[in-house]
Amino acid sequence: MKSDRLLSILLLLQTRGRVTASELAARLEVSVRTIYRDIEALSISGVPVYAERGRHGGIELLAGFRTDVTGLTADESRALFILAAQGAHAALGLDSALGSALRKVMAALPAPHRPAAEATARRILVDATRWKGGPQRSVDLATLQDAVFADRRLRLRYRHSGERKTRAYTVDPYGLVAKAGVWYLVAARRGLPRLFRADRVHSAALLDDPVKRRPGVELADVWEVLRRQVEERPGGIDVTVRVRRDRLDLFLRLMAPYLAELPDDDGDSAWVTARLSLGVVGEARQLLQFSDRVEVLSPPEVRAEVARAAASVTDLYQRVGGRPEEKSRSDGVL
């Protein structure tokens, strides 16, 4: 609607200052000609907006002009009260600020929209943490957050997965990302974007040097590239297994990162065939948690790996179980 677009232009100019017509057109998905017509409409309605042409030109409001109008629609009002888990705000020290901000937004909402916003806050809850995630190492985001907002370089002591010792890195932060309850620092190292799990940062020190980042590249752009690299990382080994139906749901949930495709399920068979994509043969040992409810069909080297792992576990428990019996016999107790 044109009225929503006019309000969006007004709010963008208030928050961003001078903005080019082409940028407004791209943000609002209309033509530049439409933007200039909208600017004229705002001016006729009494908004002190003007445009300057030239290389450094743009559209802006007269200095000092502000409007308190929220202009929120019913859906926009409800959307503001569907928030992620409070743990994310607590980690940043913003829990109390969030509550205060929402109270102010509620007070500023048009009266007809308040009941819907209140109902949404009571009826919709978004919890970004995973089920049974296990104990999490405490994360101190303070220094990372300081570096992000001050645009300064960081010196990290960082432990990679599977390693016991930490390594030292000097990085240029782009920002922080919370994904499924886990915080990540997105930063450039030697000019290349990298992901660092915040709970593996053993120490962080703010340096005096300003960050060195690629100009014009934002956090969202870098995160999208890194996210795709992780999710689309090719597996090295195609594995075919069959799963008992009574464990299929659990199998699909626990093995989701390794599924090559969703299995064909006719809903009747006692066993369901599934395909996995593993990075290394050793990852197949995770199938032991399903006991005899999962069978590896191919390839042979993965069948052999799972068989060896199962034999090792069986041998361990037989040896541990035999010790009390041997001791009791030595004591003359039958």
Side-chain angles (χ1 to χ4, degrees):
M1 294 176 61
K2 181 176 180 179
S3 58
D4 288 340
R5 192 171 66 245
L6 293 176
L7 182 58
S8 295
I9 292 173
L10 179 57
L11 295 177
L12 281 169
L13 294 177
Q14 282 194 175
T15 56
R16 301 282 300 279
R18 180 175 295 187
V19 184
T20 65
S22 57
E23 184 178 352
L24 288 173
R27 291 285 297 268
L28 301 176
E29 299 180 347
V30 296
S31 67
V32 173
R33 180 177 295 181
T34 298
I35 291 297
Y36 280 120
R37 283 201 298 263
D38 289 344
I39 296 302
E40 184 179 358
L42 285 172
S43 180
I44 293 173
S45 66
V47 176
V49 59
Y50 64 95
E52 286 189 3
R53 299 187 181 278
R55 182 179 178 184
H56 301 291
I59 300 167
E60 62 181 311
L61 296 169
L62 191 66
F65 175 80
R66 302 290 298 176
T67 177
D68 293 329
V69 63
T70 64
L72 293 173
T73 66
D75 285 345
E76 290 167 344
S77 303
R78 295 173 62 187
L80 285 174
F81 287 84
I82 301 178
L83 299 172
Q86 291 187 350
H89 303 94
L92 297 173
L94 296 175
D95 255 1
S96 59
L98 172 67
S100 175
L102 288 179
R103 287 191 294 271
K104 291 177 181 177
V105 171
M106 181 66 76
L109 286 178
H113 298 341
R114 290 176 193 167
E118 291 174 345
T120 299
R122 293 196 308 268
R123 299 290 183 257
I124 305 294
L125 175 65
V126 179
D127 188 343
T129 57
R130 298 176 60 183
W131 289 111
K132 298 182 179 179
Q136 299 291 325
R137 187 175 181 271
S138 60
V139 179
D140 183 7
L141 295 176
T143 304
L144 304 184
Q145 194 177 176
D146 289 344
V148 165
F149 289 114
D151 282 334
R152 287 166 60 184
R153 307 187 95 187
L154 271 172
R155 183 69 173 171
L156 302 179
R157 296 294 307 181
Y158 186 79
R159 182 187 62 81
H160 290 274
S161 176
E163 297 184 4
R164 299 181 62 182
K165 294 183 178 180
T166 62
R167 301 188 188 187
Y169 296 112
T170 298
V171 300
D172 298 291
Y174 277 97
L176 293 166
V177 174
K179 175 144 179 91
V182 178
W183 281 98
Y184 293 88
L185 172 70
V186 179
R189 178 175 177 264
R190 296 179 178 174
L192 298 176
R194 293 288 183 266
L195 273 181
F196 298 89
R197 274 186 62 141
D199 57 0
R200 293 185 189 146
V201 175
H202 279 242
S203 66
L206 220 61
L207 303 181
D208 293 331
D209 304 328
V211 294
K212 299 177 181 178
R213 297 189 296 245
R214 291 172 55 191
V217 178
E218 298 293 338
L219 170 63
D221 304 320
V222 180
W223 170 252
E224 181 62 20
V225 172
L226 294 172
R227 183 190 62 79
R228 282 205 305 266
Q229 288 177 357
V230 172
E231 294 181 352
E232 298 174 6
R233 183 178 298 160
I237 305 171
D238 291 329
V239 179
T240 303
V241 301
R242 65 173 192 161
V243 187
R244 289 282 301 187
R245 177 169 300 284
D246 60 358
R247 286 293 183 272
L248 181 60
D249 288 344
L250 181 64
F251 175 85
L252 294 178
R253 187 164 68 250
L254 296 183
M255 299 302 292
Y258 303 98
L259 284 175
E261 59 187 27
L262 288 176
D264 291 330
D265 182 8
D266 59 14
D268 297 322
S269 303
W271 293 85
V272 177
T273 302
R275 288 186 59 248
L276 304 175
S277 182
L278 305 182
V280 294
V281 171
E283 289 179 342
R285 294 187 173 211
Q286 298 180 67
L287 297 173
L288 291 177
Q289 63 187 309
F290 302 101
S291 185
D292 59 352
R293 299 298 198 274
V294 172
E295 179 187 358
V296 178
L297 302 179
S298 66
E301 61 267 27
V302 174
R303 282 179 59 90
E305 175 68 18
V306 174
R308 281 194 297 270
S312 298
V313 173
T314 301
D315 180 61
L316 172 64
Y317 278 95
Q318 286 177 343
R319 285 188 286 108
V320 173
R323 288 170 185 166
E325 182 181 351
E326 292 170 1
K327 184 177 185 301
S328 65
R329 287 179 180 173
S330 65
D331 292 339
V333 180
L334 297 180

